[in-house]
Amino acid sequence: MHAASQALRPQQTETHGTAHPYSKIFFPECRFNGAVLVVTLKTWLAQPVFHLTNLLLQGVAVMSSPAVKPIPEGMHSLTPYLVCANAANAIAFYVKAFNAVEQFRLPAPDGRVMHACLKIGDSMLMLTDEWPEHQTFGPNSLKGTPVTIHHYVEDVDASFRQAVEAGATVTLPVTDMFWGDRYGQVKDPFGHSWSLATHKRDLSMEEIQAGMRDMQCGQP
């Protein structure tokens, strides 16, 4: 388990009547910034709250209904969770580069982003700030990343240009690939690797394997 996902241990308080056990989590100060719910956490919530992700995605609705969905509405089985030095800037970049739509963010008392959720296309992306005190670092601090986030788009050439104009660095120019995708890769300013693709041709496995052999034979 990631060091930064240590269990949150808020001070124990008495509950009265039928108060929900998560009431201390879901009744901090709340305000709406446009369509985005902005939550200011109590000062005693001083650690990243990764293990509350599913509950947070349910929002205050979890307070009013015992029938909580095991997989929150709009979520898929797998969701990238990125660590970014200066997550607020990362959110702004993903909005500009990938047309992300911010769903919510939880600022920590010191101003860092404890947890945020964006929507890109039909999928969610979660992120948090670096937390050196919990040994949680982004790829720039770690001098690289072994992970690439794959992003299918309608027009890879246009989306690739948009990402580069927003500040991404080209690591692989857009190319027609042997598996049937038009595909390229960029690195974002926070060290994360992204591949962008548009599917162009439906190929059999035999055709893909033949294309791979032809590509390898053509290499010096």
Side-chain angles (χ1 to χ4, degrees):
M1 181 177 292
H2 203 285
S5 60
Q6 300 171 2
L8 178 69
R9 297 183 177 87
Q11 298 177 353
Q12 296 296 319
T13 57
E14 294 184 5
T15 58
H16 301 280
T18 57
H20 194 282
Y22 293 109
S23 59
K24 290 297 179 181
I25 299 298
F26 286 103
F27 285 112
E29 297 178 24
C30 299
R31 61 187 175 85
F32 279 91
N33 180 9
V36 177
L37 176 65
V38 179
V39 183
T40 303
L41 298 179
K42 298 295 186 181
T43 55
W44 46 262
L45 286 178
Q47 300 184 50
V49 202
F50 300 104
H51 71 291
L52 291 176
T53 294
N54 284 348
L55 292 173
L56 291 169
L57 288 169
Q58 291 298 325
V60 180
V62 76
M63 302 297 299
S64 60
S65 172
V68 178
K69 294 181 179 180
I71 300 175
E73 191 71 32
M75 297 299 295
H76 300 302
S77 297
L78 296 176
T79 303
Y81 201 128
L82 307 184
V83 178
C84 301
N86 199 329
N89 284 354
I91 291 170
F93 170 80
Y94 295 138
V95 169
K96 185 176 181 181
F98 302 127
N99 301 320
V101 178
E102 183 176 341
Q103 305 299 294
F104 62 82
R105 73 173 75 183
L106 298 175
D110 64 4
R112 286 180 291 177
V113 176
M114 184 175 291
H115 177 76
C117 185
L118 311 178
K119 186 174 184 180
I120 298 177
D122 65 355
S123 301
M124 297 297 183
L125 173 70
M126 300 177 186
L127 67 153
T128 185
D129 255 298
E130 288 190 322
W131 300 86
E133 64 271 36
H134 297 291
Q135 299 301 304
T136 303
F137 301 97
N140 284 339
S141 296
L142 297 173
K143 309 304 181 185
T145 175
V147 176
T148 296
I149 305 160
H150 190 64
H151 182 23
Y152 270 116
V153 295
E154 293 289 336
D155 183 344
V156 66
D157 291 278
S159 295
F160 199 85
R161 285 194 300 271
Q162 179 178 336
V164 173
E165 289 169 0
T169 301
V170 177
T171 54
L172 178 67
V174 175
T175 308
D176 289 328
M177 293 297 187
F178 63 86
W179 60 84
D181 285 359
R182 186 160 172 77
Y183 174 96
Q185 289 187 356
V186 298
K187 183 173 73 171
D188 72 32
F190 309 92
H192 295 285
S193 176
W194 294 75
S195 58
L196 284 74
T198 298
H199 189 62
K200 294 291 189 178
R201 296 181 296 154
D202 292 325
L203 301 174
S204 67
M205 184 54 64
E206 290 76 14
E207 290 172 317
I208 292 173
Q209 290 172 339
M212 182 176 65
R213 287 192 297 270
D214 291 343
M215 180 194 70
Q216 291 171 335
C217 290
Q219 291 179 345

